[in-house]
């Protein structure tokens, strides 16, 4: 059941097809002179997909305020409808990642709704960083690492519940991020706190189905501002090694200090077989969760440069999961997610254009200038015709944002979904 009218999509594409074909042919000629077949790049881009976070289609917020947009989703089924619009127009987001208990619903209903909308489900996400209505024990001072055994058990059982729901809807992974840490020196014993976390994580890991993976996510700070239990990729790597072969590290691009070399972190995790996947976003100061590629598109490209390198080398165990994870405070979330999905595809396409043979020669000969120039040449190539042609040939929109606006989708759902007030803080 498409959410965007086929007649509208066809009309919008018809207006742009002639110019797209000309641009595609011109780029194809340019790439051919460098020994690159444009259709091969297009086919790889068309096959690439990034998951949408269910929570991403709602408006985010800050500690100060939240300004909801019209027609915000009321429940997981509204969220799935919004996610299907993104997939229909971009053809880059075939799966949705659920967050429990925010998206808790009957699994049969979830599967039926997703199937009708042409969507699948990605990794499950547990929530032990905030208290829920009716929850007997508080996570104010931690969850999986809490000093109280009962609180830890409550957090464990919640993760097990996520696994059971995920099994029922076809998910194959569980992502755990905890806000556990401390806000004052001396508040927590670092060693015992980490031991408690590992003990709880082992219990969850033991309940994973055979064909599932566990992704643990690190974050430098927040909500704990003095120390965080899983604060960086090194600690995350220790966790993955301690738990076993089905445990991997998830890299959120916003969860590092501003000057951390994230692409090198990616290379290290690939090298030792522990890269689980990504939460794509962008950052200026801290964990800002800005639209992917909005601040530093070159860094996004450099991350994909490492991923394409691993893909070409057929690195052992290399099978990263890709998901967006953003907070949309002043934009239409559907538009931001569409643009971000296309930015991730863009970085992938650019990385596919890197002259790997030349780059390796430059590296072996210590030719620093030409090595970086080789990367820059690929990054500076305008691959938009490749992305647009991939969308057109797979039934999407040449210009997804323009087509979305022409559809009036936001106005239509605003007439159905009740207005949401924005009072109070809304950090996500």
């Amino acid at each position: 059941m498409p959410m965007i009218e086929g007649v509208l999509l066809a009309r919008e594409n018809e207006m742009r097809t002639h110019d797209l074909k000309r641009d595609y042919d011109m780029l194809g000629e340019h790439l051919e002179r460098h020994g690159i077949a444009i259709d091969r790049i297009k086919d790889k881009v068309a096959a690439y997909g990034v998951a949408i976070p269910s929570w991403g289609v709602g408006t985010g917020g800050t500690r100060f305020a939240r300004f909801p947009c019209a027609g915000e989703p009321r429940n997981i089924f509204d969220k799935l409808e919004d996610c299907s619009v993104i997939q229909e127009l971009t053809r880059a987001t075939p799966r949705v990642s659920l967050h429990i208990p925010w998206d808790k619903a009957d699994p049969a209903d979830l599967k039926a709704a997703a199937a009708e909308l042409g969507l699948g489900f990605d990794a499950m996400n547990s929530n032990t960083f905030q208290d829920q209505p009716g929850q007997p024990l508080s996570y104010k001072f931690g969850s999986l690492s809490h000093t109280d055994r009962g609180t830890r058990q409550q957090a464990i059982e919640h993760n097990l519940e996520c696994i059971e729901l995920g099994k029922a809807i076809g998910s194959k992974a569980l992502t755990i991020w905890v806000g556990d840490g401390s806000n004052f020196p001396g508040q927590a014993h670092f060693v015992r706190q980490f031991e408690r976390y590992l003990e709880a994580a082992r219990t969850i890991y033991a309940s994973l189905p055979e064909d599932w993976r566990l992704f643990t996510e690190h974050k430098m700070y927040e909500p704990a501002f003095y120390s965080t239990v899983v604060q960086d990729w090194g600690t995350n790597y220790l966790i993955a090694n301690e738990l076993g072969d089905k445990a991997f590290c998830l890299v959120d691009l916003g969860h590092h200090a501003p000057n951390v070399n994230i692409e090198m972190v990616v290379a290290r995790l690939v090298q030792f077989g522990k890269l689980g996947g990504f939460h794509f976003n962008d950052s200026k100061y801290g964990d800002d969760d800005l639209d992917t590629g909005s601040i530093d598109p070159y860094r996004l490209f450099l991350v994909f440069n490492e991923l394409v390198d691993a893909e070409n080398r057929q690195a052992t165990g290399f099978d990263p999961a890709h998901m967006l994870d953003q907070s949309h405070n002043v934009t239409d979330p559907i538009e931001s997610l569409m643009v971000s999905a296309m930015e991730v595809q863009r970085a992938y396409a650019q990385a596919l254009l890197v002259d790997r043979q030349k780059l390796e020669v430059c590296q072996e000969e210590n030719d620093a200038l030409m090595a970086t120039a080789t990367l820059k040449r690929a990054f500076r190539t305008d691959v938009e015709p490749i992305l647009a042609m991939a969308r057109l040939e797979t039934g999407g929109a040449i210009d997804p944002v323009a087509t979305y606006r022409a559809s009036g989708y936001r106005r239509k759902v605003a007439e159905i979904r009740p207005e949401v007030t924005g009072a109070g803080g809304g950090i996500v």
Side-chain angles (χ1 to χ4, degrees):
M1 184 186 72
M3 304 301 295
I4 302 297
E5 294 180 5
V7 173
L8 170 73
L9 178 58
R11 184 174 70 242
E12 289 288 317
N13 281 345
E14 185 178 3
M15 292 190 301
R16 299 175 174 90
T17 299
H18 175 72
D19 288 344
L20 171 59
K21 289 181 177 178
R22 289 185 62 193
D23 292 343
Y24 185 82
D25 290 342
M26 290 176 63
L27 178 58
E29 291 177 10
H30 168 75
L31 294 178
E32 188 176 14
R33 290 197 299 271
H34 295 276
I36 299 172
I38 191 172
D39 287 344
R40 185 184 72 84
I41 305 298
K42 178 201 63 182
D43 291 344
K44 291 182 77 69
V45 168
Y48 176 87
V50 59
I52 289 288
S54 63
W55 60 96
V57 291
T59 305
T62 70
R63 295 177 189 82
F64 299 97
R66 177 176 178 271
F67 302 98
C69 69
E72 287 208 330
R74 299 160 294 183
N75 50 48
I76 179 55
F77 300 102
D78 285 352
K79 293 176 185 177
L80 289 175
E81 288 183 355
D82 288 358
C83 290
S84 74
V85 170
I86 300 169
Q87 166 63 1
E88 286 175 28
L89 296 177
T90 67
R91 297 296 172 178
T93 59
R95 296 175 303 281
V96 179
S97 190
L98 300 188
H99 211 298
I100 308 300
W102 298 342
D103 301 322
K104 190 173 179 180
D106 182 88
D109 293 339
L110 288 170
K111 287 184 69 175
E116 186 176 10
L117 294 167
L119 297 170
F121 291 106
D122 206 76
M124 302 295 293
N125 299 265
S126 61
N127 181 339
T128 62
F129 54 83
Q130 62 180 194
D131 292 343
Q132 305 297 329
Q135 180 179 310
L137 300 170
S138 175
Y139 295 133
K140 180 178 181 179
F141 295 108
S143 57
L144 294 178
S145 71
H146 202 288
T147 55
D148 176 63
R149 181 173 293 276
T151 305
R152 298 198 301 275
Q153 186 60 36
Q154 176 181 269
I156 290 170
E157 290 173 1
H158 171 67
N159 279 278
L160 300 184
E161 178 188 22
C162 292
I163 293 173
E164 290 304 310
L165 177 57
K167 286 164 57 179
I169 62 175
S171 177
K172 295 292 182 182
L174 171 68
T175 297
I176 297 178
W177 173 77
V178 295
D180 297 21
S182 64
N183 280 280
F184 294 93
Q187 177 184 334
H189 190 285
F190 294 148
V191 174
R192 288 198 289 269
Q193 187 181 51
F194 192 48
E195 286 175 345
R196 292 191 295 267
Y197 173 89
L198 286 173
E199 178 186 27
R202 288 188 184 102
T203 302
I204 298 168
Y205 181 86
S207 297
L208 285 177
E210 190 60 35
D211 58 347
W212 272 49
R213 293 186 291 172
L214 177 67
F215 301 145
T216 54
E217 184 176 357
H218 57 275
K219 186 176 183 181
M220 180 179 61
Y221 73 99
E222 198 182 43
F225 285 93
Y226 172 67
S227 69
T228 306
V229 173
V230 190
Q231 85 285 3
D232 58 25
W233 75 274
T235 296
N236 208 357
Y237 178 74
L238 291 174
I239 293 167
N241 270 344
E242 285 289 318
L243 295 184
D245 293 340
K246 293 185 290 185
F248 299 86
C249 304
L250 188 74
V251 178
D252 185 306
L253 268 61
H255 285 188
H256 305 80
N259 294 324
V260 167
N261 190 325
I262 300 177
E263 56 269 27
M264 190 168 72
V265 172
V266 171
R268 293 286 188 269
L269 293 175
V270 169
Q271 183 174 1
F272 293 96
K274 284 299 183 182
L275 178 66
F278 296 90
H279 280 181
F280 291 113
N281 49 52
D282 216 331
S283 166
K284 178 67 175 176
Y285 302 105
D287 182 27
D288 308 319
D289 280 341
L290 302 176
D291 288 13
T292 304
S294 61
I295 301 294
D296 194 350
Y298 191 54
R299 182 174 68 179
L300 183 64
F301 162 77
L302 292 175
V303 167
F304 271 91
N305 177 58
E306 297 300 328
L307 297 181
V308 170
D309 175 74
E311 180 183 303
N312 290 345
R313 291 187 291 105
Q314 299 182 321
T316 303
F318 180 73
D319 184 24
H322 293 177
M323 192 187 85
L324 301 174
D325 185 11
Q326 305 174 175
S327 178
H328 312 106
N329 300 329
V330 295
T331 60
D332 183 324
I334 290 177
E335 292 186 1
S336 276
L337 287 167
M338 286 196 295
V339 170
S340 293
M342 291 185 287
E343 284 304 304
V344 174
Q345 280 190 318
R346 186 186 314 281
Y348 180 43
Q350 290 167 327
L352 289 169
L353 298 183
V354 172
D355 187 334
R356 299 283 154 187
Q357 187 175 9
K358 182 175 181 180
L359 180 61
E360 184 174 347
V361 170
C362 292
Q363 291 170 340
E364 290 299 317
E365 294 180 352
N366 296 309
D367 191 341
L369 185 66
M370 292 311 299
T372 197
T374 300
L375 292 182
K376 282 288 184 70
R377 185 176 296 110
F379 174 70
R380 288 172 177 156
T381 303
D382 182 5
V383 296
E384 183 58 37
I386 296 175
L387 310 186
M389 187 61 76
R391 290 193 294 270
L392 177 65
E393 292 184 356
T394 53
I398 293 175
D399 188 334
V401 174
T403 303
Y404 168 73
R405 291 188 174 187
S407 75
Y409 177 83
R410 180 61 64 187
R411 174 183 52 78
K412 293 174 186 176
V413 294
E415 294 172 355
I416 301 170
R417 302 173 185 173
E419 184 177 356
V420 179
T421 61
I427 190 168
V428 294

